[in-house]
């Protein structure tokens, strides 16, 4: 008998949603064959909405100072072994200049929650980048801030904001983070970002400690409701200087499956094949694209600091995932019938 799972995948493709019970069944009764079917359908949906275009984002990891102490993260406050660094405005502009020349039209400023970058410093950087590169989109990924600060970033010209929700289950959130962080405040931040008109990105790690089918179902229902323009998911990978050093990593198969399900649920979303996915498998990013992803985020940070932004062990940082490797990345994308484009790569409805 043909498994019910195919019908659920078809239903998700046709209606872009499933009930909690249906998601649960879909996530529990998967097989290699049904995974393949979901990924193929997701790939088709990507092509329907984006053709063979793959968008690139130039990732600038400008500070690894962080006031937070997330149990999974290598740049958590308590990791005294992390070599801390920060880039200043001029360094950041130099990265953008290199990136612009290579064809990047989106810059992502990502960093820990670093008090040095006050609202004033940050808005100064945002204005400088947008003034010099008015044809580029600027994305921020610098954590939880009060509403007025997000508003100031927006007024200064920032277009997009990435803030993974990490898990939509409050208890699970509590097992990944210290007590001073809360899932409710994270959700409030995401709603504020959406209300301010940012193209907003949420997301979670696949295979994070204590993740269950139930928490994953909640993630998908949460994402459906939030309807973010971007969703970043990648495998959890342990870092040797964190409380989760002995926890096992998320798998390639699971990450690809959930990417495919995301594409079927949010057909127009911008979905990156993440660095973490490229870290657990040599062709992880291509496989991500073939499961429905349509974005890659090569690293534009200066070589001297790149090895210090270690969220997890063995993070790749000098090969095709780096901006210098763009020509190779283009070849790899062409190898799977895709093409990197020089484009801001906005959410389709905003084009
Ligand atoms: N493995 C995989 N992803 C991680 N992140 C942080 N630490 C890890 C890890 N050990 C992800 C988090 C965060 C994003 C910037 O990186 O989901 O939101």
């Amino acid at each position: 008998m043909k498994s019910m799972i195919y019908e659920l995948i078809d239903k998700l493709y046709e209606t872009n949603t499933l009930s909690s019970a249906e998601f649960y069944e879909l996530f529990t009764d998967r097989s290699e064959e049904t995974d393949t079917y979901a990924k193929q359908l997701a790939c088709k949906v990507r092509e329907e909405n984006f053709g063979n275009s793959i968008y690139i984002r130039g990732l600038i990891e400008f500070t690894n100072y962080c006031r937070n102490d997330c149990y999974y993260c290598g740049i958590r406050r308590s990791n005294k072994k992390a070599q801390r660094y920060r880039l200043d405005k001029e360094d950041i502009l130099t990265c953008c200049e290199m990136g612009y020349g290579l064809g990047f039209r989106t810059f992502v400023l990502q960093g820990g929650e670093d008090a040095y970058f006050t609202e004033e410093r940050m808005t100064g950087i945002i204005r400088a980048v947008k003034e010099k590169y008015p044809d580029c989109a600027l994305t921020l990924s610098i954590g939880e801030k009060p509403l007025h600060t997000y508003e100031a970033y927006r007024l200064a010209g920032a277009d997009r904001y990435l803030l993974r929700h990490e898990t939509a289950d409050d208890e699970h959130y509590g097992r990944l983070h210290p007590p001073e962080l809360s899932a409710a405040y994270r959700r409030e931040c995401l709603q504020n970002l959406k209300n301010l008109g940012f193209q907003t990105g949420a997301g979670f790690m696949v295979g994070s400690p204590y993740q269950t089918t139930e928490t994953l179902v909640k993630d998908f229902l949460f994402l459906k409701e939030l309807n973010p323009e971007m969703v970043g998911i990648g495998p959890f990978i342990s870092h040797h200087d964190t409380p989760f050093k002995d926890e096992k990593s998320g798998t390639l198969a699971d990450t690809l499956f959930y990417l495919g399900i995301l594409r079927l649920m949010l057909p127009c979303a911008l979905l990156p094949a993440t660095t973490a996915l490229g870290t657990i498998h040599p062709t992880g990013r291509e496989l991500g694209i073939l499961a429905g992803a349509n974005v890659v985020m090569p690293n534009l940070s200066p070589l001297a600091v790149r090895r210090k932004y270690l969220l997890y062990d063995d993070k790749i940082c000098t090969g095709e995932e780096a901006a210098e490797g763009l020509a190779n990345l283009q070849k790899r994308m062409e190898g799977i019938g895709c093409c990197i484009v020089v484009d801001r790569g906005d959410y389709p409805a905003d084009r």
Side-chain angles (χ1 to χ4, degrees), residues 72-74 110 141 164 166 186 203-205 234-239 276 309 311-312:
Y72 46 84
C73 184
Q110 184 167 85
S141 176
R164 289 190 178 176
E166 310 297 354
R186 181 62 60 104
F204 60 91
M205 295 177 287
F236 161 73
I237 303 172
S238 68
H239 183 290
Y309 201 87
L311 304 184
Y312 43 81

Side-chain angles (χ1 to χ4, degrees), residues 5-107:
I5 299 303
Y6 291 101
E7 284 170 38
L8 288 175
I9 294 168
D10 286 337
K11 183 169 179 190
L12 182 59
Y13 169 66
E14 282 154 23
T15 66
N16 307 128
T17 193
L18 292 176
S19 70
S20 163
E22 288 168 332
F23 272 124
Y24 190 91
E25 191 181 344
L26 174 61
F27 297 170
T28 319
D29 291 337
R30 286 163 51 198
S31 66
E32 221 172 285
E33 290 72 32
T34 60
D35 275 17
T36 301
Y37 182 67
K39 288 184 286 187
Q40 281 171 353
L41 210 50
C43 212
K44 187 175 116 169
V45 172
R46 171 176 59 69
E47 280 163 10
E48 282 166 9
N49 290 294
F50 300 96
N52 68 349
S53 297
I54 301 299
Y55 298 132
I56 48 170
R57 320 297 194 198
L59 183 62
I60 304 169
E61 296 160 336
F62 70 104
T63 173
N64 70 351
Y65 284 86
C66 193
R67 69 180 177 131
N68 290 330
D69 219 15
C70 309
Y71 304 145
Y72 46 84
C73 184
I75 63 167
R76 63 199 300 266
R77 169 182 81 221
S78 298
N79 182 7
K80 302 293 175 223
K81 292 192 191 154
Q83 294 178 43
R84 306 289 168 171
Y85 73 90
R86 50 174 76 95
L87 305 181
D88 63 18
K89 183 159 76 184
E90 296 314 312
D91 299 328
I92 292 170
L93 287 169
T94 305
C95 294
C96 294
E97 190 178 344
M98 186 178 89
Y100 194 89
L102 289 165
F104 288 91
R105 294 297 178 266
T106 291
F107 301 116

Side-chain angles (χ1 to χ4, degrees), residues 244-316:
F244 288 164
K245 63 179 188 315
D246 297 323
E247 301 287 341
K248 60 177 195 310
S249 294
T251 67
L252 178 71
D254 285 355
T255 308
L256 297 175
F257 169 73
Y258 291 114
L259 261 176
I261 298 305
L262 275 175
R263 171 60 67 209
L264 296 175
M265 184 174 83
L266 301 170
C268 290
L270 298 155
L271 298 180
T274 56
T275 308
L277 187 55
T279 297
I280 58 164
H281 190 277
T283 58
R285 263 130 7 121
E286 286 99 315
L287 294 169
I289 304 281
L290 292 173
N294 66 330
V295 171
V296 281
M297 301 173 67
N299 199 313
L300 269 181
S301 312
L303 272 170
V305 303
R306 235 179 254 173
R307 280 174 214 287
K308 297 181 184 163
Y309 201 87
L310 264 201
L311 304 184
Y312 43 81
D313 288 344
D314 304 318
K315 181 173 167 237
I316 50 174

Side-chain angles (χ1 to χ4, degrees), residues 98-273:
M98 186 178 89
Y100 194 89
L102 289 165
F104 288 91
R105 294 297 178 266
T106 291
F107 301 116
V108 181
L109 298 183
Q110 184 167 85
E113 291 191 15
D114 179 356
Y116 173 85
F117 290 99
T118 56
E119 186 178 305
E120 211 185 335
R121 277 208 177 93
M122 216 49 232
T123 51
I125 292 169
I126 296 164
R127 277 193 297 268
V129 173
K130 289 294 290 190
E131 200 169 297
K132 209 165 156 204
Y133 303 100
D135 55 333
C136 293
L138 183 57
T139 306
L140 301 177
S141 176
I142 49 178
E144 297 178 346
K145 310 284 170 189
L147 173 63
H148 67 85
T149 302
Y150 285 151
E151 200 172 3
Y153 295 163
R154 186 83 184 108
L155 288 171
D159 304 279
R160 308 186 188 134
Y161 205 103
L162 307 176
L163 181 68
R164 289 190 178 176
H165 69 284
E166 310 297 354
T167 170
D169 180 275
D170 291 5
E171 195 188 320
H172 185 210
Y173 196 94
R175 299 181 86 169
L176 300 178
H177 301 96
E180 62 270 21
L181 292 175
S182 84
Y185 186 60
R186 181 62 60 104
R187 287 194 291 267
E188 186 183 323
C189 285
L190 282 163
Q191 200 51 62
N192 286 340
L193 290 163
K194 278 223 95 175
N195 295 344
L196 286 165
F198 282 100
Q199 291 179 38
T200 304
F204 60 91
M205 295 177 287
V206 174
S208 65
Y210 313 110
Q211 186 173 66
T212 62
T213 304
E214 283 84 357
T215 66
L216 282 161
V217 169
K218 285 191 184 176
D219 286 322
F220 278 78
L221 295 173
F222 168 75
L223 289 168
K224 185 68 207 175
E225 195 183 309
L226 180 69
N227 193 27
E229 286 79 12
M230 306 171 282
V231 185
I233 68 165
F236 161 73
I237 303 172
S238 68
H239 183 290
H240 61 283
D241 289 318
T242 64
F244 288 164
K245 63 179 188 315
D246 297 323
E247 301 287 341
K248 60 177 195 310
S249 294
T251 67
L252 178 71
D254 285 355
T255 308
L256 297 175
F257 169 73
Y258 291 114
L259 261 176
I261 298 305
L262 275 175
R263 171 60 67 209
L264 296 175
M265 184 174 83
L266 301 170
C268 290
L270 298 155
L271 298 180

